[in-house]
Amino acid sequence: MPITGKGYLGPKRPAMSKWAGIHFNKPAGMQDDVPPRLMASFEIRSTRNLELYRIHSIAFELSEGDTLVFIDYPQNQKHPTRQTDCNGITYKSQEFRVHSENLLKTNSAKFAEMLGPTYQFRVQRRRKLVNKLPTGIKYVLDLTPPSEGDELVCQVAELSLTPGIINWWGASILHRVDSWLVCGHDDVCTCSKSAPVKLPVDILPLDPERLLRMKAQSEDDLYETPDYRRIPDYCPIRHRNGIIRLLMLIEGKPAVLDSAPRVWTMLKLSKEFDCFSVIRDRVAQWIMHGPNTRFIEVLPEEALQIAYNLELPEVAQAAFRILVNELALEQADSQPKKGRGQTTIFGRRLGDLPDELSNIVQHAARELVARISSVTATLQNPEMFDYWDIKEWNQLRALEQLLVEESGVSAEFALVELRNFMEALVQEIVSSVNRVISNDIDRTDTLYKSIDQDRASYVQARDFETISTIKRRLNIVQQFLCSFTYNEFAWELDTLMFCGGLSKHHKSMALRYEDLEREVSRAIQNVVNDRPILDYTDAWAPYFGQGALENGIRQIRSPLIRLKELECSVCVAILPICHSWVRPDMEPPLNITRHLLLTLNNESEMKFLPLWAGGCDDGTGGVFEDQIPLTDMGPNGPGPSFHTGFSLPSRSSSVCGSMIEDLAELRVRSSTVTDYESLDVHDSISTVYHPDRVIADDVSVASSSFTMGASDYQDARFSVPVEGQGIASAVDMLVETTDSEIQSATDCAPASDDDTDFWNDASDSEDSVMTIEENHTPN
């Protein structure tokens, strides 16, 4: 509804930027969202000691059930102290009971197989329990990990911790994560024998200048890492204790998840035993608790694997957004590297993804680069206003066409003036884009410093660079893959533009747009003065004013266009682009990656996620395939390419060999069409009515049988081929035989029994055709 009334100065333009200073791209109320501590320090110690006691005496904890479980621990005779817990107690082999009913309730195919007769016969023989089962025992499980072979290699690879998982205990210092969630000790621990290390209590916010000084001095650690935190990526004790904890959860007993290594181990074991449901809710609570959501931002590769295994939609979407944006920044590089380095463009250390997950990230990154490239191309296109259907601009375009149709010096001059004016209007937007990507602004120091403070919490000192330094190396597409670029661009447009602004076009530099508009009006008025008949032309009527005539000639309206309305219309059209970085409903908020453009499109990038994560991947692989275009001619079958050819009626072999020899000389070959058109082709004995027509499966058609004596065959022989059908033309010449020639050819055929074999069901029949393929290029 138009705005009217007293004091109305024209339409109200929308606010373009959402500048929020150091809190840019942070949801309201989420800047310092640190929940209260879950436990006091003494409670944490006592709870962990209690869990260690339960692990050592698991036979007392799990003493009931119809399934006997064995777990043997490795014995290190030379160094027994290397297999002890925090209190120096050595782990020993365990024998305990569980309920087979609880194992089967997990719907685990692994447990179902182990409770089957084949496994039971084998394990009872190995444990020497055949006909010797204890009272109340129906099943025996030996869950001792293998000590050699391919199975051991696979399990070690699965259970090995990544560097990010090992070092996540430091999140209590760098991200204020509750120590109860991340500071748990490994199962084999030497903390009681290690020298105490004083850790910093509160080092946040980190000063980016401090990291730059450390980088210059080849220093990398913000704090000293205690010896007991330097744990191996795989530990056989950790493996076995993880199995015990998993069975405790299955039996309804509590198990502590107080560190990233333990969560990762439990995840991998639940994958091995096919019982993700046992730990799904517990891991979801762990990863989504307060500042621990930064696990997703710092370790998105690990987070995406956890989310995919446990089907956690929020975690999967958040990690996927980060990984896609980071990869898109690399793919958009003007000089891409042969392989990915060890860090992202903004310095985060890269992790590893399985091939399946890496594939969907790559597909989505390509889609994101293509979409953002389209946005930047639009913002630099001199015809951008034409795409937005702006009323005032459309009037200028119509006037331009009217001047093109006129002749004379005044019309040519007016056309030049009008086009210069229109180019100046578009240049206002283009120059704003250029100023942003050329770093020709001085209003972002506070914002950039706050983003660098966030990055300093997870970027190592040797990899750290400031945002300003990184931004200078980015091209326009890469810059528009960053959220702050959009807001800087919108900020530039807030100072727009046409009303009271100065032209930035090289042909009218520093001239007011109002003055340019008046110059165009005068030039057009001169055209009307030279051709008064334009007064009576309907096409020119919208450009005349309502005032009195001067010298009998109508006057061009003033102003020629309403710059205020044009300015508002442009702002409304460009507003979705300026606000495309805004993510009001994203959960978790992802505050320390706010410099990335994480607002992926549901129809292009996010579609590669599975259905449970809000994507379109249903497991058939169709989401990775381009939609097959509509075609006038159909493909002959599935596959990455379309094959084209023609089907022709076959001739009797008793005809003298001239026809076959002539066809052989055509040297026709098959071809492949991979573009957006497909040509009709049919292999083997397929028949088509016309080379440029496809018969649908549900359409009834006449019989395609051709015989020497049938009328259909006779009509086909003498039909005039369609222009451009080279094969049909050749065949047309070849089939121009007379009845006498056919009879002569038939008479000269041998009368041996071979004729009977020649016309048997395995060769040509009255329903068969000869398929001839040729190189064919679609028009």
Side-chain angles (χ1 to χ4, degrees), residues 526-686:
N526 291 335
V527 175
V528 177
N529 294 340
D530 292 345
R531 293 202 61 201
I533 195 173
L534 297 179
D535 293 359
Y536 308 98
T537 304
D538 292 340
W540 281 81
Y543 302 99
F544 291 112
Q546 303 297 325
L549 304 181
E550 293 186 12
N551 299 325
I553 299 176
R554 295 178 66 186
Q555 300 297 301
I556 295 295
R557 72 185 188 191
S558 179
L560 180 63
I561 62 168
R562 292 180 287 273
L563 290 177
K564 183 66 174 178
E565 289 192 10
L566 176 63
E567 178 181 313
C568 292
S569 298
V570 170
C571 288
V572 170
I574 209 170
L575 188 64
I577 296 178
C578 294
H579 289 180
S580 60
W581 59 270
V582 180
R583 39 182 181 171
D585 301 325
M586 191 174 296
E587 180 65 29
L590 306 179
N591 287 340
I592 62 175
T593 50
R594 55 196 171 112
H595 56 286
L596 298 176
L597 180 69
L598 301 182
T599 52
L600 304 190
N601 191 298
N602 290 332
E603 296 180 358
S604 54
E605 298 94 31
M606 298 295 286
K607 70 179 181 180
F608 296 103
L609 287 173
L611 297 176
W612 56 261
C616 300
D617 185 9
D618 57 0
T620 63
V623 71
F624 302 101
E625 299 177 359
D626 294 333
Q627 184 176 4
I628 298 178
L630 299 177
T631 59
D632 295 328
M633 310 173 91
N636 69 333
S641 306
F642 297 117
H643 303 279
T644 178
F646 296 90
S647 297
L648 299 175
S650 61
R651 291 293 305 269
S652 171
S653 62
S654 58
V655 178
C656 293
S658 60
M659 180 177 180
I660 298 176
E661 293 174 358
D662 291 336
L663 290 176
E665 290 178 2
L666 293 175
R667 301 181 65 175
V668 292
R669 296 173 298 177
S670 65
S671 65
T672 300
V673 178
T674 56
D675 286 320
Y676 293 97
E677 295 187 18
S678 59
L679 301 180
D680 193 16
V681 58
H682 300 267
D683 291 342
S684 186
I685 61 171
S686 302

Side-chain angles (χ1 to χ4, degrees), residues 3 8-17 428-429 432 489-499 501 563-572 574-575 578:
I3 302 174
Y8 172 64
L9 300 177
K12 183 178 180 181
R13 52 174 290 172
M16 304 300 292
S17 66
E428 182 72 22
I429 305 298
S432 297
F489 173 54
W491 197 353
E492 286 292 309
L493 296 183
D494 275 337
T495 61
L496 194 84
M497 60 193 188
F498 303 142
C499 295
L563 290 177
K564 183 66 174 178
E565 289 192 10
L566 176 63
E567 178 181 313
C568 292
S569 298
V570 170
C571 288
V572 170
I574 209 170
L575 188 64
C578 294

Side-chain angles (χ1 to χ4, degrees), residues 106-218:
T106 63
N107 297 319
S108 166
K110 178 79 171 180
F111 284 136
E113 178 186 359
M114 298 177 78
L115 294 176
T118 302
Y119 175 86
Q120 286 300 309
F121 177 75
R122 187 169 61 250
V123 72
Q124 289 181 26
R125 283 185 59 190
R126 185 168 65 247
R127 287 287 177 175
K128 299 180 180 181
L129 292 174
V130 177
N131 299 324
K132 298 179 182 179
L133 292 178
T135 303
I137 296 298
K138 296 180 180 179
Y139 307 99
V140 177
L141 297 181
D142 188 351
L143 300 184
T144 304
S147 58
E148 60 183 4
D150 294 338
E151 187 177 358
L152 173 64
V153 174
C154 293
Q155 291 188 13
V156 169
E158 279 288 315
L159 289 164
S160 292
L161 307 177
T162 66
I165 292 290
I166 293 174
N167 294 321
W168 189 243
W169 68 271
S172 62
I173 301 172
L174 296 174
H175 305 291
R176 297 193 178 102
V177 179
D178 198 308
S179 57
W180 168 245
L181 298 176
V182 298
C183 290
H185 294 197
D186 198 23
D187 290 296
V188 175
C189 183
T190 60
C191 61
S192 60
K193 305 172 186 177
S194 302
V197 175
K198 185 176 182 181
L199 296 174
V201 178
D202 190 0
I203 62 174
L204 298 179
L206 289 169
D207 184 4
E209 295 297 327
R210 177 184 175 185
L211 267 70
L212 293 175
R213 290 193 299 268
M214 292 174 59
K215 181 179 181 180
Q217 299 170 3
S218 299

Side-chain angles (χ1 to χ4, degrees), residues 220-436:
D220 200 39
D221 296 327
L222 290 166
Y223 48 83
E224 184 180 356
T225 301
D227 291 337
Y228 66 89
R229 294 292 184 185
R230 305 181 189 275
I231 63 178
D233 53 357
Y234 173 78
C235 173
I237 303 299
R238 187 194 307 139
H239 187 171
R240 287 157 173 81
N241 285 357
I243 296 175
I244 292 177
R245 291 187 179 95
L246 185 65
L247 292 175
M248 290 173 63
L249 291 174
I250 292 175
E251 287 293 301
K253 306 293 183 178
V256 175
L257 299 181
D258 60 355
S259 67
R262 184 166 296 178
V263 169
W264 186 260
T265 300
M266 296 295 290
L267 169 75
K268 294 300 182 176
L269 289 173
S270 66
K271 179 180 180 180
E272 178 187 345
F273 290 103
D274 189 24
C275 55
F276 290 123
S277 59
V278 176
I279 67 166
R280 183 179 186 274
D281 292 342
R282 292 173 176 83
V283 174
Q285 293 173 3
W286 180 85
I287 201 172
M288 296 296 288
H289 184 274
N292 203 38
T293 56
R294 294 190 176 187
F295 180 91
I296 304 172
E297 301 178 82
V298 180
L299 304 174
E301 292 89 354
E302 289 84 348
L304 189 60
Q305 293 181 62
I306 293 174
Y308 257 69
N309 285 319
L310 301 182
E311 294 190 0
L312 305 177
E314 295 84 1
V315 179
Q317 291 179 6
F320 183 73
R321 293 175 189 273
I322 294 171
L323 292 171
V324 169
N325 191 268
E326 290 177 338
L327 182 58
L329 279 164
E330 296 185 16
Q331 292 184 349
D333 196 341
S334 304
Q335 298 177 340
K337 301 176 182 178
K338 292 184 179 180
R340 298 193 72 180
Q342 295 181 338
T343 63
T344 66
I345 285 181
F346 286 102
R348 185 185 69 83
R349 283 271 157 175
L350 287 170
D352 294 325
L353 276 178
D355 291 342
E356 176 190 0
L357 301 183
S358 179
N359 184 41
I360 67 170
V361 170
Q362 290 176 23
H363 276 84
R366 282 196 291 268
E367 292 282 346
L368 180 58
V369 171
R371 180 167 65 87
I372 300 304
S373 297
S374 176
V375 171
T376 57
T378 298
L379 294 178
Q380 292 187 310
N381 193 323
E383 298 178 354
M384 70 175 79
F385 289 1
D386 295 306
Y387 303 146
W388 295 332
D389 193 24
I390 297 173
K391 178 181 177 182
E392 297 293 324
W393 182 261
N394 291 340
Q395 292 177 356
L396 293 179
R397 280 297 186 200
L399 182 58
E400 179 187 23
Q401 185 59 36
L402 293 176
L403 292 175
V404 170
E405 297 172 357
E406 297 297 324
S407 59
V409 176
S410 60
E412 293 178 358
F413 178 77
L415 182 60
V416 172
E417 289 291 305
L418 176 62
R419 285 177 172 172
N420 288 343
F421 176 56
M422 296 172 70
E423 290 174 4
L425 294 174
V426 176
Q427 185 61 32
E428 182 72 22
I429 305 298
V430 175
S431 63
S432 297
V433 175
N434 293 337
R435 275 176 53 80
V436 171

Side-chain angles (χ1 to χ4, degrees), residues 652 654-656 708 739-750 755:
S652 171
S654 58
V655 178
C656 293
M708 294 293 291
D739 291 339
S740 60
E741 290 174 331
I742 297 175
Q743 184 64 38
S744 174
T746 306
D747 292 341
C748 70
D755 287 345

